[in-house]
C-alpha cells in the first residue's frame, strides 16, 4: 500500500456489550485496530456503528467488555481522557460550534495542547500570547491542507453542508490525533465532495500516519480505501477481514450487501 | 456592521490576532477612550457624572460579567444582582475588619468572594440547563439578599442591613469629587473590559463558546465541561462582584441588600439582550439603550 507500514494492534476491543434499557446496541463484539491502518465499520442503519465509536472514545460506557488502547486496558473512559490520549473524531450529524468561525472551531481542536490559564489569557501576555500564535500557525497548516483558506473567518453555521463536514474534519485533525474516528464523513455529499473527502482521508493516513476508523455506507469507497472491514448487523459482528474477504462472506451478503438501502 | 475587514491584509498571525484586528475598530476604541478619559471629565456636569455616567459604567461592568456567563458560556442567570451584593458587602467587610486594607485590594477581594459564591450557585449547571438553571439562579438571588439582611454581622450590626461605604482613598488621595470617582470607576471598568475581551478571544473563550454551542463535541475535543462552566460562573460573578463594590462605593455610598434585588438582575439581563448577547462591546451599548427604553415606557 501507499508507502505506510501497517503496525501492531493499538486498539483492542474484547467482548463489548452495550445496552440502552432493553435495546441491545452492541452484543459481544471483539475486533482490533492496527497502527496506521484504515479500518472500516459497515452495517445497516441501527446496526450499532456509531455506538461503537462512542464506546471507543468514552461517550458511551459498555456494560461488558474490555478495551485496551496502546496496550493500556481501561475499564471506564471519559471523552476528554480519550482526547488527551490522541483520539479525535467527527460526528454523523455535524457537531460544529455553530456560533464560531471556521478558524475558531479548528483552534478549539487544539485546546488540549494549550496550557496558558485564564489569568495569563486575560492579560494576553507571555505564554498566552506565544501559544495563541504558535497554535494559529498549526491551525493554518490544517486550513491549507483542507483547502479552506477562503472561509477561514466565516461562521460555520453559514457554510454549506459539505464544507461543514470538511471543517469538522479540520477540527479533529488540529489535535494531531494518533487515531481518528470518522462517523459517515461522506454522507449526504455529492460525488465531487466525496472524492475530495476520500483524498483528504487517504492523505491524512499517508502523510501523518494517522490510524483511521471509518464508518461509511458507500461500498465503493470502502472497497477503495479501507485495509480491513468490520461488519455489524443488529449489534452483532457478522464479518471481519479485508474488503475482498468481506465481500465474499455469505452472511454479509445476505444481511447487508444483498439488500439495497 | 458598518464596515468590513475586506482589503486589510495581515502580514503575520500576530497582526491578525491583535485585540482589535480591524483598523476602524482600533481607531474607534482610541477615540472612545480619549473622550471618556479626557473630554468627559472636563465637559460633563456634576449631574451627568454622578447621576448617569458612573451608574452606566457600573452596570456595564455587571453586564460584562453576565455576558461572559450567558452570552459566551450559554448559562442563563437571574442572580447577577445578588453577586453584586456579595461584592459590595464583602468589600465593605474587608475594609471594615482589616486595618490598612487598600481600597483596590478590597474591591478585588470582594470580586473573589462573589466568584466563590458564584461557583457554589453554578454547581447546579452541571446537571441542569436553560429554564431550570435560571430558576436555580433565581434561588441564589433571593437566598443571598435574604442572608445579607438576616445576618447582621455582614452589615456590622446596622439596622436592616444598611451599610455605608468607607471613604475611597488610594495612596493618600481621597476620591471625593464626581470627576475623580468617575475616573476611578472608568479605569477599573476599562481594565476589566480589556481583560474580558482577551479572555473571550483566547482558548478560555473558545471553550466557553464550545460548551454553549455543542457540549458533547466540546467534551470529545478534550474540554472539561465542569471546569469550563464553573470558571464561567466564577469569572462572571467576579465582574458582578466588582461592579457591586463600585456601585456601593462610587455611586450610592449607602446601600442595603434590597438594593440588589431581582429587579436589578433583570435590568442587567435586559442590558445584555439589548446590547448584544455574546459581545464585549455590547455590555456598553446595553445600559444606555435600555435606560432610554425605560424612559420612553414611562
Ligand atoms: N443514546 C442512546 N440511547 C438509546 N438508544 C440508543 C442510543 N444510541 C444508540 N441507540 C440505539 O442503539 C442502536 C444502534 O444505534 P447506532 O449505533 O446509532 O447505529 P448506526 O450508527 O449503526 O446506525 C439503535 O437501535 C439505537 O436506537
Ligand atoms: Mg450511525
Amino acid at each position: 500500500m501507499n508507502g505506510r507500514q501497517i503496525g501492531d494492534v493499538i486498539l483492542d476491543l474484547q467482548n463489548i456489550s452495550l445496552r440502552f434499557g432493553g435495546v441491545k446496541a452492541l452484543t459481544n463484539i471483539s475486533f482490533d485496530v492496527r497502527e496506521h491502518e484504515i479500518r472500516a465499520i459497515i452495517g445497516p442503519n441501527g446496526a450499532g456503528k456509531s455506538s461503537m465509536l462512542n464506546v471507543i472514545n468514552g461517550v458511551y460506557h459498555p456494560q461488558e467488555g474490555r478495551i485496551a488502547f496502546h496496550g493500556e486496558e481501561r475499564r471506564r473512559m471519559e471523552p476528554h481522557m480519550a482526547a488527551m490520549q490522541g483520539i479525535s473524531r467527527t460526528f454523523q450529524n455535524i457537531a460544529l460550534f455553530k456560533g464560531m468561525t471556521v478558524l475558531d472551531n479548528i483552534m478549539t481542536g487544539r485546546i488540549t495542547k494549550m496550557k496558558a490559564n485564564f489569568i495569563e489569557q486575560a492579560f494576553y501576555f507571555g505564554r498566552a500570547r506565544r501559544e495563541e500564535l504558535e497554535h494559529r500557525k498549526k491551525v493554518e497548516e490544517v486550513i491549507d491542507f483542507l483547502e479552506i483558506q477562503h472561509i477561514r473567518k466565516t461562521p460555520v453555521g453559514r457554510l454549506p453542508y459539505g464544507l461543514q463536514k470538511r471543517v469538522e474534519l479540520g477540527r479533529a485533525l488540529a489535535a494531531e490525533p494518533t487515531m481518528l474516528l470518522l462517523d459517515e464523513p461522506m454522507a449526504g455529499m455529492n460525488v465531487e465532495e466525496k472524492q475530495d473527502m476520500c483524498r483528504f482521508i487517504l492523505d491524512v493516513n499517508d502523510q501523518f500516519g494517522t490510524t483511521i476508523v471509518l464508518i461509511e455506507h458507500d461500498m465503493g469507497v470502502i472497497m477503495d480505501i479501507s485495509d480491513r472491514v468490520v461488519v455489524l448487523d443488529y449489534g452483532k459482528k457478522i464479518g471481519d477481514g479485508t474488503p475482498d474477504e468481506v465481500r465474499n462472506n455469505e452472511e454479509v451478503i445476505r444481511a447487508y450487501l444483498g439488500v439495497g438501502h | 456592521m458598518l464596515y468590513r475587514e475586506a482589503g486589510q491584509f495581515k502580514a503575520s498571525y500576530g497582526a491578525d490576532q491583535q485585540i482589535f484586528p480591524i483598523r476602524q475598530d482600533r481607531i474607534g476604541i482610541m477615540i472612545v477612550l480619549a473622550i471618556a478619559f479626557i473630554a468627559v471629565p472636563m465637559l460633563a456636569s456634576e449631574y451627568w457624572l454622578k447621576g448617569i455616567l458612573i451608574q452606566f459604567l457600573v452596570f456595564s461592568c455587571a453586564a460584562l460579567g453576565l455576558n461572559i456567563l450567558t452570552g459566551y458560556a450559554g448559562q442563563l442567570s437571574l442572580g447577577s444582582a445578588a453577586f453584586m451584593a456579595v461584592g459590595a458587602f464583602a468589600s465593605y467587610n474587608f475594609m471594615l475588619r482589616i486595618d490598612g486594607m487598600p481600597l483596590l485590594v478590597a474591591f478585588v477581594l470582594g470580586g473573589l468572594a462573589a466568584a466563590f459564591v458564584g461557583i457554589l450557585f453554578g454547581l447546579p449547571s452541571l446537571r441542569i440547563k436553560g429554564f431550570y438553571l435560571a430558576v436555580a439562579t433565581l434561588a441564589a438571588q433571593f437566598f443571598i439578599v435574604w442572608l445579607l439582611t438576616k445576618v447582621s454581622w455582614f452589615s456590622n450590626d446596622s439596622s436592616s442591613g444598611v451599610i455605608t461605604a468607607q471613604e475611597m482613598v488610594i495612596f493618600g488621595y481621597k476620591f471625593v469629587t464626581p470627576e475623580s470617582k468617575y475616573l476611578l470607576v472608568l479605569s477599573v471598568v476599562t481594565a476589566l473590559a480589556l481583560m474580558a475581551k482577551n479572555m473571550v478571544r483566547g482558548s478560555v473563550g473558545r471553550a466557553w463558546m464550545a460548551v454553549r454551542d455543542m457540549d458533547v463535541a466540546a467534551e470529545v475535543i478534550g474540554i472539561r465541561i465542569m471546569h469550563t462552566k464553573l470558571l464561567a460562573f466564577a469569572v462572571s460573578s467576579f465582574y458582578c462582584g466588582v461592579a457591586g463594590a463600585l456601585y456601593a462605593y462610587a455611586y450610592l455610598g449607602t446601600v442595603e441588600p434590597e438594593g440588589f434585588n431581582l429587579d436589578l438582575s433583570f435590568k442587567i439581563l435586559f442590558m445584555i439582550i439589548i446590547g448584544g448577547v455574546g459581545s464585549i462591546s455590547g455590555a456598553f451599548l446595553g445600559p444606555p439603550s435600555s435606560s432610554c427604553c425605560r424612559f420612553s415606557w414611562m
Side-chain angles (χ1 to χ4, degrees):
Chain A
M1 294 225 75
N2 25 1
R4 79 218 148 91
Q5 198 69 51
I6 291 181
D8 297 329
V9 170
I10 56 166
L11 176 68
D12 193 20
L13 298 132
Q14 292 287 335
N15 310 101
I16 302 290
S17 293
L18 173 73
R19 289 179 299 275
F20 295 102
V23 179
K24 290 180 175 172
L26 298 169
T27 309
N28 199 25
I29 291 184
S30 305
F31 72 93
D32 59 31
V33 181
R34 294 177 171 277
E35 196 166 16
H36 307 313
E37 83 173 330
I38 298 182
R39 186 74 148 123
I41 302 177
I42 63 171
N45 276 327
K49 306 181 296 296
S50 296
S51 300
M52 198 69 241
L53 292 195
N54 282 328
V55 165
I56 294 175
N57 79 334
V59 177
Y60 292 166
H61 302 115
Q63 281 81 11
E64 280 143 52
R66 298 199 320 258
I67 306 171
F69 186 59
H70 283 301
E72 210 179 307
E73 195 169 304
R74 49 188 162 88
R75 183 73 209 140
R76 192 184 168 91
M77 185 68 153
E78 295 305 328
H80 74 263
M81 288 157 61
M84 290 295 200
Q85 294 187 358
I87 302 178
S88 287
R89 75 171 286 184
T90 65
F91 294 81
Q92 182 170 355
N93 304 310
I94 297 170
L96 285 168
F97 309 126
K98 288 277 185 322
M100 297 161 69
T101 62
V102 169
L103 182 62
D104 277 342
N105 265 277
I106 301 180
M107 280 293 271
T108 310
R110 292 193 69 79
I111 212 145
T112 55
K113 299 185 187 307
M114 299 182 80
K115 300 286 173 268
N117 63 38
F118 72 99
I119 293 174
E120 291 167 282
Q121 290 180 45
F123 292 100
Y124 193 52
F125 185 74
R127 186 164 63 163
R129 189 185 142 81
R130 220 169 34 243
E131 272 188 353
E132 196 76 7
L133 297 181
E134 234 172 69
H135 290 280
R136 172 72 190 271
K137 216 168 128 212
K138 282 281 179 197
V139 163
E140 289 292 337
E141 286 170 22
V142 173
I143 288 177
D144 288 343
F145 178 82
L146 294 175
E147 299 158 14
I148 48 177
Q149 297 89 341
H150 57 298
I151 51 167
R152 211 188 252 117
K153 299 264 172 95
T154 312
V156 292
R158 285 200 213 144
L159 296 174
Y161 180 84
L163 274 180
Q164 291 198 15
K165 282 263 184 197
R166 205 187 285 187
V167 174
E168 204 187 8
L169 175 65
R171 188 180 64 187
L173 287 179
E176 298 176 80
T178 51
M179 179 175 279
L180 188 54
L181 314 176
L182 302 174
D183 197 342
E184 307 201 15
M186 287 163 249
M189 286 187 167
N190 63 34
V191 176
E192 201 178 322
E193 289 171 330
K194 274 191 189 181
Q195 281 170 350
D196 282 340
M197 187 55 87
C198 263
R199 179 164 56 85
F200 292 132
I201 293 170
L202 286 170
D203 283 351
V204 168
N205 180 244
D206 193 40
Q207 291 180 23
F208 314 130
T210 313
T211 307
I212 292 172
V213 181
L214 168 77
I215 297 174
E216 184 46 52
H217 273 305
D218 188 322
M219 283 310 286
V221 169
I222 295 294
M223 295 300 152
D224 277 352
I225 73 173
S226 56
D227 297 299
R228 290 190 299 158
V229 185
V230 177
V231 191
L232 301 184
D233 190 24
Y234 291 113
K236 298 202 175 78
K237 184 171 100 170
I238 58 168
D240 189 352
T242 64
D244 276 331
E245 286 167 8
V246 165
R247 188 162 40 190
N248 298 320
N249 178 324
E250 285 293 320
E251 200 178 350
V252 174
I253 293 169
R254 218 177 321 117
Y256 182 54
L257 300 180
V259 294
H261 55 214
Chain B
M1 218 192 275
L2 301 173
Y3 47 83
R4 288 163 179 267
E5 199 177 0
Q8 298 184 20
F9 299 105
K10 308 293 189 309
S12 72
Y13 300 134
D16 200 29
Q17 307 264 84
Q18 294 174 80
I19 184 161
F20 300 109
I22 303 180
R23 194 184 315 119
Q24 284 89 333
D25 282 346
R26 256 190 327 272
I27 296 168
I29 293 284
M30 289 297 179
I31 293 172
V32 169
L33 286 179
I35 292 174
F37 274 98
I38 301 165
V40 168
M42 287 191 334
L43 301 176
S45 68
E46 189 171 327
Y47 166 74
W48 262 84
L49 290 171
K50 255 164 83 176
I52 295 177
L53 293 171
I54 293 177
Q55 188 187 17
F56 154 73
L57 288 169
V58 167
F59 287 161
S60 293
C61 186
L64 271 177
L66 182 61
N67 217 344
I68 285 175
L69 183 64
T70 304
Y72 286 90
Q75 313 296 308
L76 187 56
S77 165
L78 295 177
S80 316
F83 299 127
M84 287 176 73
V86 173
F89 278 78
S91 297
Y92 169 76
N93 277 287
F94 280 118
M95 291 293 286
L96 179 75
R97 294 170 205 281
I98 299 175
D99 244 6
M101 168 64 68
L103 182 72
L104 290 177
V105 176
F107 287 173
V108 171
L109 289 173
L112 289 176
F116 177 74
V117 176
I119 291 174
L120 285 185
F121 284 98
L123 286 171
S125 73
L126 307 179
R127 302 304 297 266
I128 54 178
K129 289 182 187 175
F131 174 74
Y132 298 98
L133 179 62
V135 172
T137 58
L138 199 59
Q141 171 66 50
F142 285 113
F143 177 75
I144 289 169
V145 170
W146 174 82
L147 193 73
L148 290 174
T149 316
K150 204 75 190 162
V151 180
S152 59
W153 182 85
F154 290 120
S155 50
N156 200 25
D157 301 317
S158 82
S159 62
S160 69
V162 179
I163 56 170
T164 302
Q166 298 89 346
E167 211 170 30
M168 294 199 292
V169 184
I170 296 177
F171 293 129
Y173 180 82
K174 289 195 173 107
F175 291 81
V176 191
T177 62
E179 286 84 3
S180 66
K181 286 184 182 174
Y182 164 80
L183 282 173
L184 175 66
V185 175
L186 179 65
S187 307
V188 172
V189 176
T190 305
L192 287 178
L194 291 175
M195 287 163 69
K197 179 85 184 161
N198 277 334
M199 276 187 276
V200 299
R201 73 200 179 96
S203 69
V204 178
R206 288 191 291 266
W208 285 334
M209 291 185 277
V211 167
R212 172 196 70 190
D213 284 352
M214 187 64 77
D215 51 1
V216 176
E219 205 176 3
V220 162
I221 281 172
I223 293 171
R224 285 169 301 162
I225 306 284
M226 182 175 96
H227 179 262
T228 305
K229 280 186 182 172
L230 292 183
L231 183 63
F233 270 97
V235 173
S236 161
S237 308
F238 179 87
Y239 276 72
C240 288
V242 172
L246 292 172
Y247 195 46
Y249 279 81
Y251 181 64
L252 292 174
T254 300
V255 64
E256 54 181 339
E258 256 309 307
F260 298 98
N261 58 14
L262 183 61
D263 250 22
L264 183 57
S265 280
F266 269 115
K267 224 186 219 167
I268 296 164
L269 183 62
F270 290 145
M271 284 172 199
I272 71 162
I273 291 171
I274 291 168
V277 176
S279 96
I280 293 299
S281 53
F284 294 90
L285 300 175
S289 36
S290 65
S291 5
C292 290
C293 293
R294 202 174 33 143
F295 292 136
S296 64
W297 288 336
M298 284 177 169

